[in-house]
Amino acid sequence: MTIDVAELRTITDILLRHLEAANGTRISLERDYYWDIPANQRYLPYCKPSELTLGQLSDDLAETGKLLDGTTQPFNYQLVW
């Protein structure tokens, strides 16, 4: 499968504009933690994951927020966060 980045950018912008119109410029999240499936098991839908770890939305946001002040450079995995 291939994905056109320009198309993905347009779709993301449409969805974010919709989110903003529906909920305003700030959104509230009720939960911070989520289950994370290890990368080597994430795309195996017919196999139950053998281990789960915890992810944290506030940590993900803090890490990606470092792009705004230049304390980190972008890398592909940040799209997962």
Side-chain angles (χ1 to χ4, degrees):
M1 172 177 22
T2 59
I3 299 172
D4 182 286
V5 174
E7 188 175 292
L8 186 60
R9 181 180 290 115
T10 301
I11 291 166
T12 302
D13 186 53
I14 290 168
L15 291 171
L16 289 173
R17 281 188 277 124
H18 170 76
L19 179 67
E20 187 174 32
N23 299 292
T25 59
R26 299 182 65 83
I27 57 172
S28 178
L29 301 175
E30 293 180 21
R31 295 185 172 90
D32 191 18
Y33 291 93
Y34 58 88
W35 289 113
D36 186 37
I37 300 171
N40 64 342
Q41 297 177 33
R42 196 168 292 151
Y43 299 103
L44 302 173
Y46 302 109
C47 299
K48 185 176 180 178
S50 61
E51 64 179 78
L52 297 173
T53 59
L54 282 178
Q56 189 174 9
L57 294 173
S58 58
D59 184 56
D60 297 343
L61 185 59
E63 289 301 315
T64 55
K66 292 177 183 178
L67 291 166
L68 297 174
D69 63 13
T71 58
T72 190
Q73 295 297 310
F75 53 90
N76 292 343
Y77 196 78
Q78 289 166 324
L79 288 166
V80 174
W81 297 339

Coordinates of all heavy atoms in Angstrom, one line a residue:
M1 N 0.8 -1.2 0.0 CA 0.0 0.0 0.0 C 0.9 1.2 0.0 O 1.9 1.3 0.7 CB -0.9 0.0 1.3 CG -1.7 1.2 1.4 SD -2.9 1.4 2.8 CE -2.4 0.2 4.0
T2 N 0.5 2.2 -0.7 CA 1.2 3.5 -0.7 C 0.2 4.6 -0.3 O -1.0 4.5 -0.6 CB 1.8 3.9 -2.1 OG1 0.8 3.9 -3.1 CG2 2.9 2.8 -2.5
I3 N 0.7 5.6 0.3 CA -0.1 6.7 0.8 C 0.4 8.0 0.2 O 1.7 8.3 0.3 CB -0.2 6.8 2.3 CG1 -0.7 5.5 2.9 CG2 -0.9 8.0 2.8 CD1 -0.6 5.4 4.4
D4 N -0.4 8.8 -0.4 CA 0.0 10.1 -0.9 C 0.0 11.1 0.3 O -1.0 11.3 0.9 CB -1.0 10.6 -2.0 CG -0.6 11.9 -2.6 OD1 -0.8 12.9 -1.9 OD2 -0.1 11.9 -3.7
V5 N 1.2 11.7 0.6 CA 1.3 12.5 1.7 C 0.5 13.8 1.6 O -0.1 14.2 2.6 CB 2.8 12.9 2.0 CG1 3.0 13.9 3.1 CG2 3.6 11.6 2.3
A6 N 0.4 14.4 0.4 CA -0.4 15.6 0.2 C -1.9 15.2 0.5 O -2.6 16.1 1.1 CB -0.3 16.1 -1.2
E7 N -2.4 14.1 0.1 CA -3.7 13.7 0.3 C -4.0 13.5 1.8 O -5.0 13.9 2.4 CB -4.1 12.4 -0.4 CG -5.5 12.0 -0.4 CD -5.8 10.8 -1.2 OE1 -5.7 10.9 -2.5 OE2 -6.0 9.7 -0.6
L8 N -3.0 12.9 2.5 CA -3.1 12.6 3.9 C -3.1 14.0 4.7 O -3.9 14.2 5.6 CB -1.9 11.8 4.4 CG -1.9 11.4 5.9 CD1 -3.1 10.5 6.2 CD2 -0.6 10.5 6.1
R9 N -2.3 15.0 4.2 CA -2.3 16.3 4.8 C -3.6 17.0 4.7 O -4.2 17.5 5.6 CB -1.2 17.1 4.2 CG -1.1 18.6 4.7 CD 0.0 19.4 4.1 NE 1.3 18.9 4.4 CZ 2.2 18.3 3.6 NH1 1.9 18.2 2.3 NH2 3.3 17.9 4.0
T10 N -4.3 16.8 3.5 CA -5.6 17.4 3.3 C -6.6 16.8 4.1 O -7.5 17.5 4.8 CB -6.0 17.3 1.8 OG1 -5.0 18.0 1.0 CG2 -7.3 17.9 1.5
I11 N -6.6 15.5 4.2 CA -7.6 14.7 5.1 C -7.4 15.2 6.5 O -8.4 15.4 7.2 CB -7.4 13.2 4.9 CG1 -7.8 12.8 3.5 CG2 -8.1 12.5 6.0 CD1 -7.4 11.4 3.1
T12 N -6.2 15.2 7.0 CA -5.9 15.6 8.4 C -6.4 17.0 8.7 O -7.0 17.3 9.7 CB -4.4 15.5 8.7 OG1 -4.0 14.2 8.4 CG2 -4.1 15.9 10.1
D13 N -6.2 17.9 7.7 CA -6.7 19.3 7.9 C -8.2 19.4 7.9 O -8.8 20.1 8.8 CB -6.1 20.2 6.7 CG -6.5 21.6 7.0 OD1 -6.2 22.2 8.1 OD2 -7.1 22.3 6.1
I14 N -8.9 18.6 7.1 CA -10.3 18.5 7.1 C -10.8 18.0 8.4 O -11.7 18.6 9.0 CB -10.9 17.6 5.9 CG1 -10.6 18.3 4.6 CG2 -12.3 17.3 6.1 CD1 -10.8 17.4 3.4
L15 N -10.2 17.0 8.9 CA -10.6 16.4 10.2 C -10.4 17.4 11.4 O -11.2 17.5 12.3 CB -9.9 15.1 10.5 CG -10.4 13.9 9.5 CD1 -9.5 12.7 9.7 CD2 -11.8 13.6 9.8
L16 N -9.2 18.0 11.4 CA -8.9 19.0 12.4 C -9.8 20.2 12.4 O -10.3 20.7 13.4 CB -7.5 19.4 12.4 CG -6.5 18.3 12.8 CD1 -5.0 18.8 12.5 CD2 -6.7 17.9 14.2
R17 N -10.2 20.7 11.2 CA -11.1 21.8 11.1 C -12.5 21.4 11.6 O -13.2 22.1 12.3 CB -11.2 22.3 9.7 CG -10.0 23.2 9.3 CD -10.2 23.9 8.0 NE -9.7 23.0 7.0 CZ -10.4 22.6 5.9 NH1 -11.6 23.0 5.7 NH2 -9.9 21.8 5.0
H18 N -12.9 20.1 11.3 CA -14.2 19.6 11.8 C -14.2 19.5 13.3 O -15.1 19.9 14.0 CB -14.5 18.2 11.2 CG -15.6 17.5 11.9 ND1 -16.9 17.9 11.6 CD2 -15.7 16.6 12.8 CE1 -17.7 17.1 12.4 NE2 -17.0 16.3 13.1
L19 N -13.1 19.0 13.9 CA -12.9 18.9 15.3 C -13.0 20.2 16.0 O -13.7 20.4 17.0 CB -11.6 18.2 15.7 CG -11.3 18.0 17.2 CD1 -12.2 17.0 17.8 CD2 -9.8 17.6 17.3
E20 N -12.4 21.2 15.4 CA -12.4 22.6 16.0 C -13.8 23.2 15.9 O -14.3 23.8 16.8 CB -11.4 23.5 15.3 CG -11.3 24.8 15.9 CD -10.2 25.6 15.2 OE1 -9.9 25.5 14.0 OE2 -9.5 26.4 15.9
A21 N -14.5 23.0 14.8 CA -15.9 23.5 14.6 C -16.8 22.8 15.6 O -17.7 23.5 16.2 CB -16.4 23.3 13.2
A22 N -16.6 21.5 15.8 CA -17.5 20.8 16.7 C -17.2 21.0 18.2 O -18.1 21.0 19.0 CB -17.5 19.3 16.4
N23 N -16.0 21.2 18.5 CA -15.6 21.3 20.0 C -14.8 22.5 20.4 O -14.4 22.6 21.6 CB -14.7 20.0 20.3 CG -15.4 18.7 20.0 OD1 -16.3 18.4 20.7 ND2 -15.0 18.0 19.0
G24 N -14.6 23.4 19.5 CA -13.8 24.6 19.9 C -12.3 24.4 19.7 O -11.9 23.4 19.2
T25 N -11.5 25.4 20.1 CA -10.1 25.3 19.9 C -9.3 24.5 20.9 O -8.1 24.3 20.8 CB -9.5 26.7 19.9 OG1 -9.8 27.4 21.2 CG2 -10.1 27.6 18.8
R26 N -10.0 24.0 22.0 CA -9.4 23.2 23.0 C -10.3 22.0 23.2 O -11.5 22.1 23.3 CB -9.1 23.9 24.3 CG -8.2 25.1 24.0 CD -7.9 25.9 25.3 NE -7.1 25.1 26.3 CZ -5.8 24.9 26.3 NH1 -5.1 25.5 25.4 NH2 -5.2 24.2 27.2
I27 N -9.7 20.8 23.3 CA -10.5 19.6 23.6 C -10.0 19.1 25.0 O -8.9 19.2 25.4 CB -10.4 18.6 22.5 CG1 -9.0 18.1 22.3 CG2 -11.1 19.1 21.2 CD1 -8.8 17.0 21.3
S28 N -11.0 18.4 25.6 CA -10.7 17.8 26.9 C -10.7 16.3 26.7 O -11.6 15.8 26.1 CB -11.7 18.2 27.9 OG -11.5 17.6 29.2
L29 N -9.7 15.6 27.3 CA -9.6 14.2 27.2 C -9.9 13.6 28.6 O -9.3 14.1 29.6 CB -8.2 13.7 26.7 CG -7.8 14.3 25.3 CD1 -6.4 13.9 25.0 CD2 -8.8 13.8 24.3
E30 N -10.7 12.7 28.6 CA -11.1 12.1 29.9 C -10.1 11.1 30.5 O -10.0 11.0 31.7 CB -12.5 11.3 29.8 CG -13.6 12.3 29.5 CD -14.9 11.5 29.4 OE1 -15.0 10.4 29.9 OE2 -15.8 12.0 28.7
R31 N -9.3 10.5 29.6 CA -8.4 9.5 30.1 C -7.0 9.8 29.5 O -6.9 10.4 28.4 CB -8.8 8.1 29.7 CG -10.1 7.7 30.3 CD -10.5 6.3 30.0 NE -11.6 5.8 30.8 CZ -12.8 6.0 30.5 NH1 -13.1 6.5 29.3 NH2 -13.8 5.5 31.2
D32 N -5.9 9.5 30.3 CA -4.6 9.8 29.9 C -3.8 8.5 29.4 O -3.0 8.6 28.5 CB -3.8 10.4 31.1 CG -2.5 11.0 30.7 OD1 -2.2 11.2 29.5 OD2 -1.7 11.2 31.6
Y33 N -4.1 7.4 30.0 CA -3.4 6.2 29.7 C -4.1 5.3 28.7 O -5.4 5.3 28.6 CB -3.2 5.3 31.0 CG -2.2 6.0 31.9 CD1 -2.7 6.8 32.9 CD2 -0.8 5.8 31.8 CE1 -1.8 7.4 33.8 CE2 0.1 6.4 32.7 CZ -0.4 7.2 33.7 OH 0.5 7.8 34.5
Y34 N -3.4 4.6 27.9 CA -4.0 3.7 26.9 C -3.1 2.4 26.8 O -1.9 2.4 27.1 CB -4.1 4.3 25.5 CG -2.8 4.9 24.9 CD1 -2.0 4.1 24.2 CD2 -2.4 6.2 25.2 CE1 -0.8 4.5 23.6 CE2 -1.2 6.7 24.7 CZ -0.4 5.8 23.9 OH 0.7 6.3 23.4
W35 N -3.7 1.3 26.3 CA -2.9 0.1 26.0 C -2.1 0.3 24.7 O -2.6 0.8 23.7 CB -3.8 -1.1 25.9 CG -4.4 -1.5 27.2 CD1 -5.8 -1.4 27.5 CD2 -3.8 -2.1 28.3 NE1 -5.9 -1.9 28.8 CE2 -4.7 -2.3 29.3 CE3 -2.4 -2.4 28.6 CZ2 -4.4 -2.8 30.6 CZ3 -2.1 -2.9 29.8 CH2 -3.1 -3.1 30.8
D36 N -0.9 -0.1 24.8 CA 0.0 -0.1 23.6 C 0.4 -1.5 23.2 O 0.8 -2.3 24.0 CB 1.2 0.8 23.9 CG 2.1 1.0 22.6 OD1 1.5 1.2 21.6 OD2 3.3 1.0 22.8
I37 N 0.1 -1.8 21.9 CA 0.5 -3.2 21.4 C 1.9 -3.0 20.9 O 2.2 -2.1 20.1 CB -0.5 -3.6 20.4 CG1 -1.9 -3.7 20.9 CG2 0.0 -4.9 19.8 CD1 -2.9 -4.0 19.9
P38 N 2.9 -3.9 21.2 CA 4.2 -3.9 20.7 C 4.2 -3.8 19.1 O 3.4 -4.5 18.5 CB 4.9 -5.1 21.2 CG 4.1 -5.5 22.4 CD 2.7 -5.1 22.1
A39 N 5.1 -3.1 18.6 CA 5.2 -2.9 17.1 C 5.2 -4.2 16.3 O 4.6 -4.3 15.3 CB 6.3 -2.0 16.8
N40 N 5.9 -5.2 16.8 CA 6.0 -6.4 16.1 C 4.7 -7.2 16.1 O 4.6 -8.2 15.4 CB 7.2 -7.2 16.6 CG 7.0 -7.7 18.0 OD1 6.2 -7.2 18.8 ND2 7.8 -8.7 18.4
Q41 N 3.8 -6.8 16.9 CA 2.5 -7.5 17.0 C 1.3 -6.7 16.5 O 0.2 -7.2 16.4 CB 2.2 -8.0 18.4 CG 3.3 -9.0 18.9 CD 3.0 -9.4 20.4 OE1 1.9 -9.4 20.8 NE2 4.1 -9.6 21.1
R42 N 1.5 -5.4 16.3 CA 0.5 -4.5 16.0 C -0.4 -4.8 14.8 O -1.6 -4.5 14.8 CB 1.1 -3.1 15.9 CG 0.1 -1.9 16.0 CD 0.9 -0.6 16.2 NE 1.5 -0.6 17.5 CZ 2.7 0.1 17.7 NH1 3.2 0.8 16.8 NH2 3.2 0.1 18.9
Y43 N 0.2 -5.3 13.8 CA -0.5 -5.5 12.5 C -0.7 -7.0 12.2 O -0.7 -7.4 11.1 CB 0.3 -4.8 11.4 CG 0.4 -3.3 11.6 CD1 1.6 -2.8 12.0 CD2 -0.7 -2.5 11.4 CE1 1.6 -1.4 12.3 CE2 -0.7 -1.2 11.7 CZ 0.5 -0.6 12.1 OH 0.6 0.7 12.3
L44 N -0.9 -7.8 13.2 CA -1.2 -9.2 13.1 C -2.6 -9.4 13.7 O -2.8 -9.9 14.8 CB -0.2 -10.0 13.9 CG 1.3 -9.8 13.5 CD1 2.2 -10.6 14.4 CD2 1.5 -10.3 12.0
P45 N -3.7 -9.1 12.9 CA -5.0 -9.1 13.5 C -5.6 -10.5 13.9 O -6.5 -10.5 14.7 CB -5.9 -8.5 12.4 CG -5.1 -8.8 11.1 CD -3.7 -8.7 11.5
Y46 N -4.9 -11.5 13.4 CA -5.4 -12.9 13.8 C -4.7 -13.5 14.9 O -4.9 -14.7 15.3 CB -5.4 -13.8 12.5 CG -6.2 -13.2 11.4 CD1 -5.6 -12.7 10.3 CD2 -7.6 -13.1 11.5 CE1 -6.4 -12.1 9.3 CE2 -8.4 -12.6 10.5 CZ -7.7 -12.1 9.4 OH -8.5 -11.5 8.4
C47 N -3.8 -12.8 15.5 CA -3.0 -13.2 16.7 C -3.2 -12.3 17.8 O -3.1 -11.1 17.7 CB -1.5 -13.3 16.3 SG -1.0 -14.4 15.0
K48 N -3.6 -12.9 19.0 CA -3.8 -12.1 20.2 C -2.4 -11.6 20.7 O -1.5 -12.4 20.8 CB -4.5 -12.9 21.2 CG -4.8 -12.1 22.5 CD -5.6 -13.0 23.5 CE -5.9 -12.2 24.7 NZ -6.7 -13.0 25.6
P49 N -2.3 -10.3 21.0 CA -1.0 -9.8 21.5 C -0.6 -10.5 22.7 O -1.4 -10.8 23.6 CB -1.2 -8.3 21.8 CG -2.4 -8.0 21.0 CD -3.2 -9.2 20.9
S50 N 0.7 -10.9 22.8 CA 1.2 -11.6 24.0 C 1.5 -10.7 25.1 O 1.7 -11.2 26.3 CB 2.4 -12.5 23.6 OG 3.4 -11.7 23.1
E51 N 1.7 -9.5 24.8 CA 2.1 -8.5 25.9 C 1.5 -7.1 25.5 O 1.5 -6.8 24.3 CB 3.6 -8.4 26.1 CG 4.4 -7.9 24.9 CD 5.8 -7.8 25.2 OE1 6.5 -8.9 25.2 OE2 6.3 -6.7 25.5
L52 N 1.1 -6.4 26.5 CA 0.7 -5.0 26.3 C 1.5 -4.1 27.2 O 1.8 -4.5 28.3 CB -0.8 -4.9 26.6 CG -1.8 -5.7 25.8 CD1 -3.2 -5.6 26.3 CD2 -1.8 -5.2 24.3
T53 N 1.7 -2.9 26.8 CA 2.4 -2.0 27.6 C 1.4 -0.8 27.7 O 0.4 -0.7 27.0 CB 3.7 -1.5 27.1 OG1 3.5 -1.0 25.8 CG2 4.7 -2.7 27.0
L54 N 1.7 0.2 28.6 CA 0.9 1.4 28.7 C 1.6 2.5 28.0 O 2.8 2.7 28.0 CB 0.8 1.8 30.2 CG -0.2 1.0 31.0 CD1 -0.2 1.4 32.5 CD2 -1.6 1.1 30.5
G55 N 0.7 3.3 27.3 CA 1.1 4.5 26.7 C 0.4 5.6 27.5 O -0.6 5.4 28.2
Q56 N 0.9 6.9 27.3 CA 0.3 8.0 28.0 C 0.2 9.2 27.1 O 1.1 9.7 26.5 CB 1.2 8.4 29.2 CG 0.5 9.4 30.2 CD 1.4 9.6 31.4 OE1 2.5 9.1 31.5 NE2 0.8 10.3 32.3
L57 N -1.1 9.6 26.9 CA -1.3 10.7 26.0 C -0.6 12.0 26.4 O 0.0 12.7 25.5 CB -2.8 11.0 25.9 CG -3.7 9.9 25.3 CD1 -5.2 10.3 25.4 CD2 -3.3 9.7 23.8
S58 N -0.6 12.3 27.7 CA 0.1 13.6 28.1 C 1.6 13.5 27.8 O 2.2 14.5 27.4 CB -0.1 13.8 29.6 OG 0.3 12.7 30.4
D59 N 2.2 12.3 27.9 CA 3.6 12.1 27.5 C 3.8 12.3 26.0 O 4.8 12.9 25.6 CB 4.1 10.8 28.0 CG 5.6 10.6 27.8 OD1 6.4 11.4 28.3 OD2 6.0 9.6 27.1
D60 N 2.9 11.7 25.3 CA 3.0 11.8 23.8 C 2.9 13.2 23.4 O 3.7 13.7 22.5 CB 1.9 11.0 23.1 CG 1.9 9.5 23.4 OD1 3.0 9.0 23.8 OD2 0.9 8.8 23.2
L61 N 2.0 14.0 24.0 CA 1.8 15.4 23.6 C 3.1 16.2 24.0 O 3.5 17.1 23.3 CB 0.6 16.0 24.3 CG 0.2 17.4 24.0 CD1 0.0 17.6 22.5 CD2 -1.0 17.8 24.8
A62 N 3.6 15.9 25.2 CA 4.8 16.6 25.6 C 6.0 16.3 24.7 O 6.7 17.3 24.3 CB 5.2 16.2 27.0
E63 N 6.1 15.1 24.2 CA 7.2 14.7 23.3 C 7.0 15.4 21.9 O 8.0 16.0 21.4 CB 7.3 13.2 23.1 CG 7.9 12.5 24.4 CD 9.3 13.0 24.7 OE1 10.1 13.2 23.9 OE2 9.5 13.3 25.9
T64 N 5.8 15.4 21.4 CA 5.6 16.0 20.1 C 5.6 17.5 20.2 O 6.0 18.2 19.3 CB 4.3 15.6 19.5 OG1 3.2 15.8 20.4 CG2 4.3 14.1 19.1
G65 N 5.3 18.1 21.4 CA 5.3 19.5 21.6 C 6.7 20.1 21.5 O 6.9 21.3 21.3
K66 N 7.7 19.2 21.7 CA 9.1 19.7 21.6 C 9.5 20.1 20.2 O 10.4 20.8 20.0 CB 10.1 18.6 22.1 CG 10.0 18.3 23.5 CD 10.9 17.1 23.9 CE 10.8 16.8 25.4 NZ 11.6 15.6 25.8
L67 N 8.6 19.7 19.2 CA 8.8 20.2 17.8 C 8.6 21.7 17.8 O 9.2 22.4 17.0 CB 7.9 19.4 16.9 CG 8.2 18.0 16.7 CD1 7.0 17.3 16.0 CD2 9.5 17.8 15.8
L68 N 7.7 22.2 18.6 CA 7.3 23.6 18.5 C 8.4 24.5 19.0 O 8.6 25.6 18.4 CB 6.0 23.9 19.4 CG 4.8 23.2 18.9 CD1 3.7 23.4 19.9 CD2 4.4 23.6 17.5
D69 N 9.2 24.1 20.0 CA 10.3 25.0 20.5 C 11.6 24.6 19.9 O 12.6 25.2 20.3 CB 10.3 25.0 22.0 CG 10.5 23.7 22.7 OD1 11.0 22.8 22.0 OD2 10.3 23.6 23.9
G70 N 11.7 23.6 19.0 CA 12.9 23.2 18.4 C 13.8 22.3 19.3 O 15.0 22.1 18.9
T71 N 13.4 21.8 20.4 CA 14.2 21.0 21.2 C 14.4 19.6 20.7 O 15.2 18.8 21.2 CB 13.8 21.0 22.7 OG1 12.4 20.4 22.7 CG2 13.8 22.3 23.3
T72 N 13.6 19.2 19.7 CA 13.8 18.0 19.0 C 13.5 18.1 17.5 O 12.8 19.1 17.1 CB 12.9 16.9 19.6 OG1 13.2 15.6 19.1 CG2 11.4 17.1 19.3
Q73 N 14.1 17.3 16.8 CA 13.8 17.3 15.3 C 12.8 16.2 15.0 O 12.6 15.2 15.7 CB 15.1 16.9 14.6 CG 16.2 17.9 14.8 CD 15.8 19.3 14.2 OE1 15.4 19.4 13.0 NE2 16.0 20.3 15.0
P74 N 12.0 16.5 13.9 CA 11.0 15.5 13.6 C 11.5 14.1 13.2 O 12.6 14.1 12.6 CB 10.2 16.2 12.4 CG 11.1 17.2 11.9 CD 12.1 17.6 13.0
F75 N 10.8 13.1 13.5 CA 11.1 11.7 13.0 C 9.8 11.0 12.8 O 8.8 11.4 13.4 CB 12.1 11.0 13.9 CG 11.7 10.9 15.4 CD1 10.9 9.9 15.9 CD2 12.1 11.9 16.3 CE1 10.6 9.8 17.2 CE2 11.8 11.9 17.6 CZ 11.0 10.8 18.1
N76 N 9.8 10.0 12.0 CA 8.5 9.4 11.5 C 7.7 8.8 12.7 O 6.5 8.9 12.6 CB 8.8 8.2 10.6 CG 9.4 8.8 9.2 OD1 9.2 10.0 8.9 ND2 10.0 7.9 8.5
Y77 N 8.3 8.3 13.7 CA 7.5 7.6 14.8 C 6.6 8.6 15.5 O 5.6 8.3 16.2 CB 8.4 6.8 15.7 CG 7.6 5.9 16.6 CD1 7.1 4.7 16.1 CD2 7.2 6.2 17.9 CE1 6.4 3.8 16.8 CE2 6.4 5.3 18.6 CZ 6.0 4.1 18.1 OH 5.3 3.3 18.8
Q78 N 7.0 9.9 15.5 CA 6.1 10.9 16.1 C 4.7 10.9 15.6 O 3.8 11.3 16.3 CB 6.8 12.3 16.0 CG 8.0 12.4 16.8 CD 8.8 13.6 16.4 OE1 8.9 14.0 15.3 NE2 9.5 14.3 17.4
L79 N 4.5 10.4 14.4 CA 3.2 10.3 13.8 C 2.3 9.3 14.6 O 1.1 9.5 14.6 CB 3.2 9.9 12.3 CG 3.7 11.0 11.4 CD1 4.0 10.5 10.0 CD2 2.7 12.2 11.3
V80 N 2.9 8.4 15.2 CA 2.2 7.4 16.0 C 1.7 8.1 17.3 O 0.6 7.9 17.8 CB 3.1 6.2 16.4 CG1 2.4 5.2 17.4 CG2 3.5 5.4 15.1
W81 N 2.6 9.0 17.9 CA 2.2 9.7 19.1 C 1.1 10.6 18.8 O 0.3 10.9 19.6 CB 3.4 10.4 19.7 CG 4.5 9.5 20.1 CD1 4.5 8.2 20.4 CD2 5.9 9.9 20.3 NE1 5.7 7.7 20.8 CE2 6.6 8.8 20.7 CE3 6.6 11.1 20.1 CZ2 7.9 8.8 20.9 CZ3 7.9 11.1 20.3 CH2 8.6 10.0 20.8

